[in-house]
Amino acid sequence: MIDLDIDMRQYDCPFIDTTDDVDIAFSAVQWQLDTDDKRLETRLIAKGSSTGTLEAGLHELRDHPNMRECYILSKRDNVAEIGTTIEETNAMRTIQQNGGYITGPFRIEDGREHWHVGFDDDRDEDHALAELERHNEFTVEDRDQVGPTALFDLLENSDSALRLLEGCRSLTETERETFEAASRNGYYETPRETTLDELATHFDISKTAVSMNLRRSERKVLKAALTALEEMDGTQQL
């Protein structure tokens, strides 16, 4: 199986047009493409930079000519879970007609959309990308060709991967930024290429605050990694 990560800009997508004009982002949770009726049903999380921005974005989304239906399932502050039905876009039709399929959730922000697309062989991939180029703007950011053994291993350990992902997502923005800066600057190398003092200067906070942020992020990621390893090994947590 060929798996592509594509940074996509469609010219007939309601979500992309909305994020072009309003500071709002959409992340797909569930989706179903009805090729007979030429429509896509989705459940998404919409997040605006403020409550007012969320309302403005949803209003613009409802008014888009390619939007059939848009309704709120739940809402809190600047985040909402919504259900939508849109007209099939050119890119969706192109992928489907050339033997491709969406393999993962997509995210839309700042007028662009991140897709995970799969193909069974190189010929289908080449035809689809050539046709996509005629009516859309896109960049293939990553390409993996996964064999059946690797794919089976991925599916068999999907729960473990999810645990690790959940651990990473549990980091606060400050913890994540501190952890990333420490890693990028060689804090975990031997010998260390940066110090707590230098990290404190970088973030303009105390050395103690940096240390606490690192310990919290390390604890969360390590706990998630150990849980994932236990599930992979089939062992029970003590």
Side-chain angles (χ1 to χ4, degrees):
M1 187 181 100
I2 300 166
D3 192 52
L4 303 179
D5 286 350
I6 300 178
D7 179 59
M8 173 82 69
R9 180 174 177 83
Q10 303 181 76
Y11 296 114
D12 55 355
C13 175
F15 303 111
I16 287 180
D17 288 344
T18 298
T19 62
D20 242 347
D21 301 330
V22 184
D23 190 10
I24 189 173
F26 301 98
S27 294
V29 179
Q30 299 169 332
W31 64 94
Q32 178 176 328
L33 178 61
D34 186 335
T35 54
D36 292 330
D37 199 29
K38 296 183 179 179
R39 66 181 186 178
L40 175 72
E41 294 184 33
T42 56
R43 299 292 182 269
L44 304 102
I45 301 298
K47 183 177 181 180
S49 58
S50 66
T51 302
T53 302
L54 174 66
E55 295 290 346
L58 294 181
H59 178 76
E60 182 161 333
L61 190 65
R62 292 189 187 99
D63 289 344
H64 195 281
N66 278 7
M67 179 62 66
R68 288 194 186 183
E69 186 179 23
C70 178
Y71 51 92
I72 295 175
L73 296 167
S74 64
K75 183 173 67 170
R76 182 176 180 180
D77 299 329
N78 63 325
V79 179
E81 182 184 3
I82 64 174
T84 67
T85 303
I86 70 171
E87 299 286 346
E88 182 184 56
T89 66
N90 170 269
M92 294 178 202
R93 183 166 55 255
T94 298
I95 294 294
Q96 188 270 330
Q97 290 179 347
N98 286 278
Y101 35 87
I102 298 175
T103 61
F106 50 90
R107 177 175 172 80
I108 311 103
E109 189 172 14
D110 297 328
R112 304 197 71 84
E113 190 170 16
H114 195 78
W115 278 24
H116 301 277
V117 179
F119 294 95
D120 290 326
D121 59 57
D122 294 337
R123 185 174 60 179
D124 287 343
E125 176 195 3
D126 290 343
H127 288 169
L129 294 182
E131 191 172 335
L132 276 177
E133 213 164 15
R134 298 174 192 166
H135 304 287
N136 304 272
E137 176 189 332
F138 69 91
T139 301
V140 177
E141 296 188 327
D142 194 18
R143 182 186 188 275
D144 289 318
Q145 191 152 5
V146 185
T149 302
L151 184 59
F152 182 82
D153 188 45
L154 176 63
L155 295 174
E156 189 178 41
N157 293 292
S158 59
D159 287 342
S160 298
L162 181 60
R163 298 291 176 269
L164 188 56
L165 182 61
E166 289 172 347
C168 293
R169 284 177 172 165
S170 71
L171 270 63
T172 66
E173 184 176 354
T174 298
E175 290 166 355
R176 180 180 59 79
E177 289 178 352
T178 306
F179 194 36
E180 288 178 347
S183 180
R184 283 197 305 267
N185 289 285
Y187 180 76
Y188 297 104
E189 299 295 327
T190 304
R192 284 179 173 168
E193 297 173 3
T194 193
T195 65
L196 286 177
D197 287 325
E198 291 170 334
L199 290 171
T201 300
H202 174 77
F203 289 104
D204 194 23
I205 58 176
S206 70
K207 178 178 175 180
T208 301
V210 169
S211 179
M212 289 178 63
N213 289 335
L214 277 179
R215 289 191 178 190
R216 281 195 293 262
S217 60
E218 290 164 357
R219 189 180 303 115
K220 290 179 180 179
V221 172
L222 182 59
K223 182 179 179 181
L226 289 174
T227 301
L229 286 171
E230 287 171 355
E231 291 186 357
M232 288 173 62
D233 294 337
T235 59
Q236 297 296 321
Q237 184 174 2
L238 298 177

